[in-house]
């Protein structure tokens, strides 16, 4: 009788009483990808793994995966999740289909299938990528968040592989919004909306901070600049900061009197302007 050596057995599929004993599950190492998304934005997160063990061949259908949305985000409706091999943009025969959203938008469950193929392998050093879509709440607190883990278990003809990790997002700040400017007294007072708890900073054209405030729990803010800036002294910029994140600048063009430019005074024009984070004024001619 031929004796099997330990080396001959390791990594092999051995038949015992008609049952295939599979080798130990291959290892999958997470490729950490943190995607920046602004408050109110919708975009793709990246769930990515590289096989650091032996190749797993002839992957089978029948798996499911349940993604969890990170703090401050939810899953919009999506019936499929894009799947890539190697890099985003490179097609993958493994598909995520039949996806459903549940738990008030916090859970996305998908079937994992091989598109009818029976010869798909996850080779050594091969990278599988999925990019589920999320929407960041408009009032989400800025910061880095990781969801609870989503686990993918795949079985092939010669082994199995498991990948498990959460989705990662970095919520960035949107620019604060202006709602009004008041030059009726001896000082200029700016008012607007932003992220509750954020610090509003107003700077002059030279970059000096000339006013600050904290956004209230209702999302409103008001800054008294302590002087009258309606004399055309240059543009003012406003940012908001929270949890180590600072928003893009919103620009306020100084003017003699707070008269909204008639060209954009209509509702649609004003809404567009405010949405862009800019509040432009013109001087009243004598």
């Amino acid at each position: 009788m031929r004796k099997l050596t330990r080396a001959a057995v390791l990594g092999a599929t051995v038949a015992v009483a008609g049952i295939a004993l599979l080798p130990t599950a291959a290892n999958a190492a997470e490729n950490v990808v943190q995607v920046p998304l602004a408050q109110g934005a919708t975009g793709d997160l990246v769930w990515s793994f590289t096989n650091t063990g032996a190749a797993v061949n002839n992957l089978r259908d029948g798996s499911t995966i349940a993604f969890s949305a990170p703090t401050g985000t939810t899953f919009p409706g999506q019936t499929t999740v894009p799947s890539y091999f190697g890099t985003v943009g490179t097609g993958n025969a493994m598909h995520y289909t039949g996806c459903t959203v549940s738990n008030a938008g916090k859970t996305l469950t998908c079937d994992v299938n091989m598109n009818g193929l029976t010869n798909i392998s996850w080779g050594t050093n091969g990278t599988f990528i999925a990019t589920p879509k999320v929407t960041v709440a408009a009032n989400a607190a800025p910061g880095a968040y990781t969801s609870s883990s989503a686990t993918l278990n795949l079985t092939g003809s010669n082994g199995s592989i498991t990948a498990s990790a959460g989705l990662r997002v970095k919520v960035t700040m949107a620019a604060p919004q202006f709602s009004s400017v008041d030059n009726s007294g001896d000082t200029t007072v700016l008012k607007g909306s932003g992220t509750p708890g954020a610090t509003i900073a107003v700077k002059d054209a030279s970059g000096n901070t000339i006013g600050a405030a904290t956004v209230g729990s209702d999302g409103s803010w008001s800054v008294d600049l302590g002087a009258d800036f309606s004399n055309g002294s240059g543009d003012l910029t406003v940012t908001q900061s929270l949890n180590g994140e600072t928003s893009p600048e919103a620009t306020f063009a100084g003017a003699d009197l707070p008269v909204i430019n008639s060209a954009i005074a209509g509702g649609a024009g004003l809404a567009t302007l405010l949405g862009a984070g800019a509040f432009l004024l013109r001087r009243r001619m004598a």
Side-chain angles (χ1 to χ4, degrees):
M1 179 180 295
R2 185 169 66 92
K3 182 181 294 185
L4 289 177
T5 65
R6 183 172 183 273
V9 173
L10 286 178
T13 300
V14 183
V16 177
I19 300 175
L21 301 181
L22 300 179
T24 303
N27 296 315
E30 181 191 8
N31 302 305
V32 176
V33 181
Q34 187 178 79
V35 178
L37 287 176
Q39 295 162 319
T42 296
D44 296 338
L45 299 187
V46 176
W47 192 83
S48 173
F49 280 85
T50 297
N51 181 4
T52 58
V56 179
N57 302 320
N58 307 315
L59 296 174
R60 301 167 184 167
D61 292 339
S63 297
T64 61
I65 187 169
F67 297 102
S68 296
T71 298
T73 71
T74 54
F75 293 111
Q78 50 200 300
T79 57
T80 62
V81 168
S83 176
Y84 306 102
F85 183 78
T87 59
V88 172
T90 302
N92 187 6
M94 186 175 74
H95 290 184
Y96 298 84
T97 60
C99 302
T100 57
V101 177
S102 60
N103 192 25
K106 297 300 292 185
T107 303
L108 176 68
T109 304
C110 301
D111 297 323
V112 182
N113 66 79
M114 307 305 153
N115 199 29
L117 301 176
T118 59
N119 60 346
I120 298 176
S121 298
W122 192 344
T124 301
N125 297 323
T127 297
F128 278 8
I129 302 168
T131 57
K133 193 177 298 295
V134 298
T135 297
V136 181
N139 62 349
Y145 302 102
T146 302
S147 72
S148 55
S149 293
T151 300
L152 175 64
N153 294 304
L154 295 175
T155 300
S157 60
N158 68 320
S160 60
I161 189 166
T162 297
S164 183
L167 295 170
R168 302 171 186 271
V169 66
K170 183 178 183 181
V171 178
T172 59
M173 300 280 281
Q177 302 292 298
F178 291 106
S179 60
S180 68
V181 57
D182 184 1
N183 288 318
S184 61
D186 295 330
T187 66
T188 295
V189 178
L190 302 179
K191 294 183 179 181
S193 60
T195 300
T199 298
I200 296 292
V202 183
K203 295 183 179 181
D204 62 19
S206 299
N208 302 308
T209 300
I210 56 176
T214 299
V215 181
S217 59
D218 63 351
S220 66
W221 56 267
S222 176
V223 178
D224 187 334
L225 300 182
D228 187 351
F229 281 82
S230 64
N231 58 359
S233 55
D235 290 352
L236 305 179
T237 60
V238 185
T239 59
Q240 59 176 341
S241 301
L242 183 65
N243 296 343
E245 294 292 322
T246 299
S247 75
E249 294 178 343
T251 301
F252 170 88
D256 285 340
L257 290 172
V259 179
I260 298 174
N261 190 315
S262 58
I264 53 124
L270 180 57
T272 300
L273 186 61
L274 293 178
F279 195 94
L280 304 180
L281 305 179
R282 67 174 174 83
R283 298 186 184 188
R284 176 175 292 169
M285 303 303 293

